[in-house]
Amino acid sequence: MTDAPYVPPKVWTWNKENGGQFASINRPIAGPTHDKELPVGKHPFQLYSLATPNGVKVTVMLEELLALGYKGAEYDAWLIKIGNGDQFGSGFVDINPNSKIPALMDRSGPEPIRIFESASILFYLAEKFGAFLPKEIKARTEAMSWLFWQMGSAPYLGGGFGHFYAYAPFKIEYAIDRFAMEVKRQLDVLDRRLADNEYLAGKEYTIADMAVWPWYGALAKGLVYGAGEFLSVQDYKNVQRWTDQIAQRPAVKRGRMVNRVSGDPASQLHERHDASDFETKTQDKVEAAT
């Protein structure tokens, strides 16, 4: 890094050495980098994912559906290691041409249906099972508004604040200040909404909460980017209340474990193929058996 101001060239070119922690998997083109078929298990749904906030949304939804007794929501969860570039394999790109997790295949019908983008997956599952999305038009619209709020807001948190605060190869005051301001504004938006509402859509727990919680709930507890103190997350009392309330749900606890590869080994279930896996195949038990 030099003190000379950056002047953009007339035509941008790709510098592979730039990009910080994720430089090895970032590229300006789409499509597969290698041929690799995806495994297929026995259940109606085949999920290919990693327990990032976007991945957690879907595993929480599937576990919530199973908790309500929807046996048709049984699923196999296969681990996609994005740091290794698994998302650029030909089989994954066939499901999600955008090469982002999560990606889901519904094999319950005569022809498999692919679903990509986390909000689309949540909405698809809610529609298919008639759960976690209100039928009354006002509450349903409120839930959908917050779902899309999350999809539009999270890039400022992850790709903006998170990148420049935690992952960029050097600290840029302007970028960190710009995105910290926006993230705190978003937390204030949530805090004001939750001051008078138990959940984002009102009294009912919905896919909106499932979408927002893995991002902003984790942020509120200082679990992402090591930025809790920096952002004074304790000041957002209503977000804290909502975060804690959702975290206590048994299905949420299970959903957070699926495809997780970091943290306490007892909280990691790298792949999920049966409900019993939570008791027998967490990483602490796998490691003890080897």
Side-chain angles (χ1 to χ4, degrees):
M1 181 178 179
T2 68
D3 293 330
Y6 172 66
V7 178
K10 290 184 177 180
V11 178
W12 182 84
T13 56
W14 182 22
N15 179 358
K16 293 184 180 180
E17 301 303 317
N18 203 355
Q21 181 174 332
F22 301 104
S24 64
I25 61 171
N26 288 337
R27 59 197 185 112
I29 55 175
T33 60
H34 58 282
D35 290 328
K36 185 177 181 180
E37 293 186 6
L38 292 173
V40 178
K42 62 182 179 180
H43 294 305
F45 289 103
Q46 300 296 303
L47 177 67
Y48 305 94
S49 191
L50 181 70
T52 66
N54 285 334
V56 167
K57 297 175 191 176
V58 177
T59 50
V60 164
M61 176 62 163
L62 288 165
E63 291 296 329
E64 291 281 14
L65 289 168
L66 291 170
L68 285 183
Y70 292 103
K71 295 181 180 180
E74 267 294 354
Y75 69 106
D76 293 277
W78 304 93
L79 182 61
I80 299 296
K81 296 181 179 179
I82 60 176
N84 295 345
D86 290 354
Q87 69 275 31
F88 299 116
S90 57
F92 190 91
V93 175
D94 283 345
I95 300 177
N96 186 354
N98 196 37
S99 292
K100 303 289 184 181
I101 62 94
L104 184 69
M105 288 293 292
D106 181 356
R107 294 180 172 272
S108 63
E111 292 187 12
I113 298 174
R114 75 176 189 182
I115 315 101
F116 62 92
E117 291 296 330
S118 57
S120 179
I121 295 173
L122 292 177
F123 179 68
Y124 179 87
L125 293 171
E127 288 278 276
K128 184 179 180 74
F129 293 101
F132 300 111
L133 185 60
K135 293 180 172 57
E136 189 273 322
I137 187 63
K138 183 177 180 181
R140 181 184 181 89
T141 302
E142 191 72 26
M144 292 301 294
S145 292
W146 285 106
L147 176 65
F148 283 98
W149 176 88
Q150 187 277 318
M151 296 299 286
S153 297
Y156 289 96
L157 171 53
F161 175 77
H163 177 78
F164 287 107
Y165 184 81
Y167 302 134
F170 46 83
K171 305 299 183 187
I172 303 172
E173 182 180 5
Y174 172 81
I176 292 173
D177 284 350
R178 169 68 181 88
F179 288 109
M181 177 176 63
E182 173 60 15
V183 169
K184 286 183 71 66
R185 189 192 69 81
Q186 292 175 4
L187 285 168
D188 193 42
V189 169
L190 286 175
D191 205 62
R192 290 169 184 266
R193 173 61 182 172
L194 293 167
D196 301 314
N197 295 275
E198 184 176 6
Y199 297 107
L200 289 173
K203 296 181 180 179
E204 188 175 340
Y205 172 66
T206 71
I207 57 174
D209 301 288
M210 296 180 203
V212 176
W213 182 84
W215 280 104
Y216 294 89
L219 183 69
K221 292 303 175 184
L223 299 178
V224 291
Y225 313 128
E229 182 179 6
F230 181 76
L231 295 172
S232 301
V233 293
Q234 71 281 354
D235 293 346
Y236 303 97
K237 304 299 184 184
N238 303 308
V239 175
Q240 293 287 340
R241 183 272 306 163
W242 167 84
T243 295
D244 291 339
Q245 185 173 345
I246 292 176
Q248 293 306 308
R249 297 178 67 91
V252 171
K253 294 178 180 180
R254 291 192 298 273
R256 286 193 71 248
M257 296 170 65
V258 179
N259 298 142
R260 184 163 298 280
V261 295
S262 62
D264 181 357
S267 73
Q268 300 179 34
L269 183 62
H270 288 191
E271 291 187 359
R272 187 265 192 217
H273 303 290
D274 189 85
S276 64
D277 291 348
F278 291 102
E279 303 299 327
T280 62
K281 294 184 179 179
T282 52
Q283 197 60 18
D284 59 327
K285 295 181 176 66
V286 171
E287 293 173 359
T290 58

